[in-house]
Amino acid sequence: MVILSGTSAPALSQKIAEILKIPVVKREIGRFPGGEIRVRILDDLSRKTVVLLQSLENPIHDHLMELLLLADATKRCGSSRVIVLIPYLGYSKQDQIFRSGEPLSSRVIAQAINTAGYDRAVLLELHNENILTFFRPKAADLSLKAVFADKMKPTLQENALVISPDDGGLRRSLEFANLLGAPFAKLSKTRDLATGEVRIHRVSIPVSGRQCFIFDDMISTGATVVEAAAFLSEAGARSITVCATHGLFTKGWESFVRARIDRLLVSDSVPLPAGAPTYVEVVSAAPMFAQTLREYERA
Ligand code: R5P
C-alpha cells in the first residue's frame, strides 16, 4: 500500500503514511500555460494498492480537478486497487434541492469522482449520510464522534448536556450524547437561505449552570456555533465546548470574538486557517483513517 496526496492535505497524508509505515508517492502537480491542471505520477504503482487522499476544501475546484486527474493517472500506472480518501467532501451541504432551479450538487461531485474511477471511497462525517448512495462502487462514511468523546470524557461533569445546534444534526448529536453518557437537548435554528444569517430561537431544556457540549459535522462560516454559543451563554450555560469534524472557518476568526466558547475542537480533515484563538485545538483523524486502511488491506 502507498499513499498519494493532492495538494489539499499533505500533512494528514504524511501522518497516515508514518502510522502505516508506507511510502508517500512522488508526483508533480502544476499548471499548463492556459491554467489547466497538470499532474504526473513519478513512482512505480504497478500492482499496488494506492490510497489517493484529497480534501475538497478551498480552492475546491482545483482540489477536485487534481483528484479526478490523479485517480485516472493512478489507474493508468497499473495500480491494483485505488482507495479514494476524501476527508472533507466539498458541496456536501448541497445535498438536496432547497429552491427550485437548483442542481443536486453533491450528486454531481460524486458522479464526477465515480467517472474518474476507484475501487472504494472513504469519506468522513458526511453532512448527510444519504450522499453515500451517490458513490459507486463502494463508499464508507467514518465518524470522529468516538475520538472527540474520548477526549471529552476526563472533563465530564455531572450536569453535562449535549446540544444539537439544529434539526439536521439531531442524530449525530444524540449519538455523541450516548457516547458521553450525557443527556441531550436541541436548539431551534433558522438560516436565511439568501443571506446565510443564522438565528437561534430557543433550547429544548434549561441550560443554566450546565456544562454544554455542541457536536457538529462542520464549521463553515462559523455563524451556527457563534450564535449557538452566544445563545447558550445568555441562557446561563456554565461552559461551552464545541467539537466539529471539519473546521473550514470560511469567514476567518473575527466573528468568534463574541462567541464565548471555552474549548473548540476540530480535526485535521482540512488545514486550520492561521490566526485561531487559543481555545481552538486540532484532533488528528490520521489514526482512525490508518486503522480503517489497515483493515481494508487485510480483508
Ligand atoms: C448545518 O446543517 C451544519 O450541520 C452546520 O451546522 C453548518 O453547516 C455550519 O455552517 P456555518 O458555520 O456556516 O453556520
Side-chain angles (χ1 to χ4, degrees), residues 11 19 103 236:
I19 296 171

Side-chain angles (χ1 to χ4, degrees), residues 88 93 95 98 126-127 165-169 172 189 191 196-198 214-227 246 248-251 256:
Y88 171 68
K93 275 168 70 163
D95 58 341
F98 295 95
L126 279 174
H127 182 63
D166 48 37
D167 285 348
R172 67 174 80 93
K189 168 183 132 180
R191 185 193 294 268
E197 192 196 348
V198 165
I214 296 174
F215 179 78
D216 213 345
D217 59 329
M218 73 173 87
I219 296 174
S220 180
T221 61
T224 300
V225 289
V226 168
E227 291 308 320
H246 311 294
L248 303 173
F249 304 103
T250 55
K251 289 204 171 162
F256 282 80

Side-chain angles (χ1 to χ4, degrees), residues 3 39 63 75 85 91 108 121 141 179 192 219 224 254 291:
I3 191 159
V39 308
H63 289 146
K75 279 184 301 172
L85 174 50
Y91 282 93
V108 173
D141 179 23
L179 286 166
D192 185 316
I219 296 174
T224 300
E254 208 179 307
Q291 178 60 28

